[in-house]
Every structure is written in C-alpha cells, then in structure tokens.
C-alpha cells in the first residue's frame, strides 16, 4: 500500500468510525446505516486496488471490535462488507444492478448473526416473537372494530405469520437492495464533487432479467404445487417472491418503454399506477416475464425508428 493510499485509508477509517459511533449510540441510525458503506466505496474509487479495499475493511473490523465488541463486528459485517462489495464492483466494472444485488445478499447473511448478538435468540425464535407481537397489535386493533370488520383481520394475521417465517430471506434482500442503492447513490454524488470519474450508473430503462430467470420462475411455480417437502417449499416460496418482485419492476419498465415510444408517457404512468393499486399488478409481472423471453423493448425500438 503506497503512502498516499495509506493516508486516504486512515481518513476513510476515521470517517467510518465516526459514523459507527453515531450509529452505535442511536443518533439517526437509519441515516447512519446509509452512510456507513460510503467511506469504503469512496476509497475503492480513489485507490482502484481491491487489495487496499480489503485492508481497509479489515481495519474497519478491528476498529469497530475495539469500540463495540461483537456488535461492532456484526455491524461491519453488514454495512462495511456491503460498501466493500459495491466498491469492488466499481473497480471490476460489474454491471450496476449486479453489484447492488451482490451487496444486498450481505443482509441475508448478517441478519441472523445480528439478531443473535443483540437478542440472544436464534432466527426462528426471533421471527416467532416478532410475529406474535404483530399479531397482538392486530388483535388490539380488532377490539375497536365491529365484528364483521374484525374478521377481515384474520387473513392479515395469517399473511404476517407466513411472511415472517418463510419469506424473510426475500424481504431482507429487497431491504438490502434499497439500502445498497441509497448508499451507492450518495457515494456517487460525493465522488463527483471530488472530481473523480465514476462508473456511469445503469439506467433503469435498461433493467432486464434473462430468460433463464424467467424459466426458473415458471419451474418454481410448478414445482411448489407438486413437491410436498416443507423445507424445499420454503426455498421455492422465496425464489418465487423475489423473482416476481423483480419481474414486476421489469414489467413496469417494459410498459413505460412502450408508452414512451408512442409519446404517451403521462397516460402510461396513469395506467401503471392504476394497475399497481388494483388487482392487475399480476399482469405487469407477466409482462416482465414475457419481455425476458421475447425482448419486447427491442421491438419497440425498431418500431420507433
């Protein structure tokens, strides 16, 4: 590690520790969770060396352990590793959505460890406790509702129990993806102000999953009907939910591409919002799957030209 790189690493480590201290004592923890990955992302661009980024990450682990013991290690395992993966993705020129998704997977790994460190409960016990608390809140709400309306809360309770016990990995990935997106966006703006050349962010209009994932979704939906194994069904449910969410996003992009090609963006926005607020959102996901198989946007582009 060169002298300039070492000095920059020391500065970034100091900034990271300041963010960690504020996060640890509860000062704007949501904002601090977005800011914690930024020093590693910025340092990745300034040094452009994966080895130096890994050394900084090790320094973050040591620093947070000395200050916050095991809790500090787990915090860096989540947010520090997320920033390192985004930074390495920039260095290696990974596609934009790939580096964000790689960083989001960290949330699935770190959440069970963080839960055990903070509460002393394993993941299943923690999820059962959270589901019971939410069901208790719903039951308290039902006490103030008429009998007919109170019965409507029963499907909500069942849905909460199902989500907390079976769909947690997918929920964590989506939450991690949102956190990685915000951290990457803020870091990109910081680097621009520092006059560093930043890898151009992929346009959302280019977001497109491949045909293999579409086939995976179709196979999973068929398999979950015929396979009685509970553990495998849990895995399939998470795969289906995650892919359905991503294909819903792709369907929105396809629909907007269609309306943009015909200069009807406002009308298209209205139609999409109406579909999302009604029971037609499933058709948007289907549109995303069909686009993965047949690439409708390529046809729009040809027709527009």
């Amino acid at each position: 590690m060169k002298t300039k790189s070492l000095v920059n690493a020391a500065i970034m480590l100091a900034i990271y520790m300041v963010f960690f201290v504020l996060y640890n004592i509860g000062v704007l923890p949501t904002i601090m969770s977005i800011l914690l990955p930024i020093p590693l992302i910025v340092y990745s661009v300034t040094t452009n060396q994966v080895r130096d980024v890994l050394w900084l990450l090790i320094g973050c682990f040591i620093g947070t352990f000395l200050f916050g013991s095991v809790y500090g290690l787990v915090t860096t395992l989540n947010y520090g590793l997320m920033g390192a993966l985004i930074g390495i993705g920039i260095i290696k020129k990974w596609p934009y959505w790939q580096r964000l998704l790689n960083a989001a997977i960290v949330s699935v790994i770190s959440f069970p460890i963080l839960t055990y460190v903070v509460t002393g409960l394993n993941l299943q016990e923690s999820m059962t406790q959270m589901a019971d608390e939410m069901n208790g809140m719903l039951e308290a709400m039902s006490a103030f509702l008429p009998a007919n309306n109170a019965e409507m809360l029963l499907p909500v309770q069942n849905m909460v129990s199902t989500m907390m016990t079976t769909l947690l990995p997918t929920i964590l990935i989506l939450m991690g993806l949102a956190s990685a997106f915000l951290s990457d966006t803020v870091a990109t703006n910081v680097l621009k102000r520092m006059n560093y050349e930043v890898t151009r962010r992929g346009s959302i209009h280019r977001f497109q999953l491949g045909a293999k994932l579409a086939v995976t979704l179709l196979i999973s939906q068929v398999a979950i009907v015929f396979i009685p194994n509970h553990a495998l069904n849990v895995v399939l449910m998470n795969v289906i939910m995650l892919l359905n969410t991503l294909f819903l996003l792709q369907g929105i992009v396809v629909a907007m591409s269609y309306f943009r090609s015909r200069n009807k963006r406002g009308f298209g926005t209205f139609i999409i919002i109406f579909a999302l607020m009604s029971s037609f959102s499933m058709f948007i996901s289907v549109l995303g799957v069909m686009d993965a198989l047949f690439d409708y946007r390529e046809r729009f582009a040809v027709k527009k030209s």
Side-chain angles (χ1 to χ4, degrees), residues 134-146 149-150 153 157:
M134 296 185 71
N135 287 331
M137 294 174 59
L138 292 173
E139 290 176 359
M141 292 173 56
S142 65
F144 297 96
L145 296 175
N149 293 335
L153 291 177
Q157 290 179 326

Side-chain angles (χ1 to χ4, degrees), residues 3 46 187:
T3 303
T46 58

Side-chain angles (χ1 to χ4, degrees), residues 14 22 54 62 88 120 128-129 134 156 189 228 249 257 271 298:
L22 294 175
L54 295 178
I62 295 173
I88 292 173
T128 302
Q129 181 179 351
M134 296 185 71
V156 178
N189 291 330
L249 176 60
S257 299
I271 292 296
E298 185 67 24

Side-chain angles (χ1 to χ4, degrees), residues 255-264 300-301 303-304:
M256 285 305 300
S257 299
Y258 172 81
F259 288 110
R260 286 177 62 203
S261 67
R262 285 153 179 79
N263 295 321
K264 295 182 180 179
F300 298 156
K303 188 169 184 178
K304 183 179 179 181

Side-chain angles (χ1 to χ4, degrees), residues 17-207:
M17 290 302 301
V18 170
F19 290 157
F20 171 75
V21 170
L22 294 175
Y23 176 82
N24 191 50
I25 63 178
V27 177
L28 302 175
T30 302
I31 296 178
M32 291 302 117
S33 65
I34 297 172
L35 297 180
L36 273 168
I38 292 178
L40 288 102
I41 301 174
V42 172
Y43 181 71
S44 301
V45 176
T46 58
T47 186
N48 203 34
Q49 295 290 332
V50 175
R51 182 185 59 184
D52 292 351
V53 177
L54 295 178
W55 277 115
L56 175 59
L57 179 62
I58 294 173
C60 292
F61 273 114
I62 295 173
T64 51
F65 174 74
L66 294 176
F67 185 88
S69 187
V70 179
Y71 179 75
L73 287 177
V74 176
T75 302
T76 301
L77 177 64
N78 190 359
Y79 302 110
L81 185 57
M82 178 182 292
L85 283 175
I86 294 175
I88 292 173
I90 295 175
I91 295 173
K92 295 295 186 179
K93 302 188 185 309
W94 292 344
Y96 176 69
W97 294 104
Q98 179 185 342
R99 72 174 186 248
L100 291 190
L101 187 58
N102 290 343
I105 294 175
V106 173
S107 300
V108 181
I109 301 173
S110 63
F111 183 80
I113 303 174
L114 180 62
T115 300
Y116 182 78
V117 170
V118 175
T119 65
L121 303 175
N122 61 39
L123 187 59
Q124 183 177 1
E125 293 172 343
S126 176
M127 292 303 99
T128 302
Q129 181 179 351
M130 291 176 63
D132 291 341
E133 291 176 354
M134 296 185 71
N135 287 331
M137 294 174 59
L138 292 173
E139 290 176 359
M141 292 173 56
S142 65
F144 297 96
L145 296 175
N148 294 334
N149 293 335
E151 293 178 357
M152 297 175 60
L153 291 177
L154 292 177
V156 178
Q157 290 179 326
N158 295 332
M159 181 183 68
V160 169
S161 299
T162 300
M163 290 181 62
M164 299 304 296
T165 56
T166 61
L167 300 178
L168 180 65
T170 298
I171 296 172
L172 291 176
I173 288 178
L174 295 176
M175 293 175 60
L177 190 62
S179 178
F181 169 77
L182 292 174
S183 297
D184 183 89
T185 301
V186 175
T188 299
N189 291 330
V190 171
L191 287 165
K192 286 182 179 179
R193 291 183 175 274
M194 295 172 63
N195 296 321
Y196 278 97
E197 184 179 354
V198 183
T199 303
R200 186 175 180 181
R201 190 177 72 182
S203 172
I204 187 64
H205 297 292
R206 298 178 182 176
F207 178 78

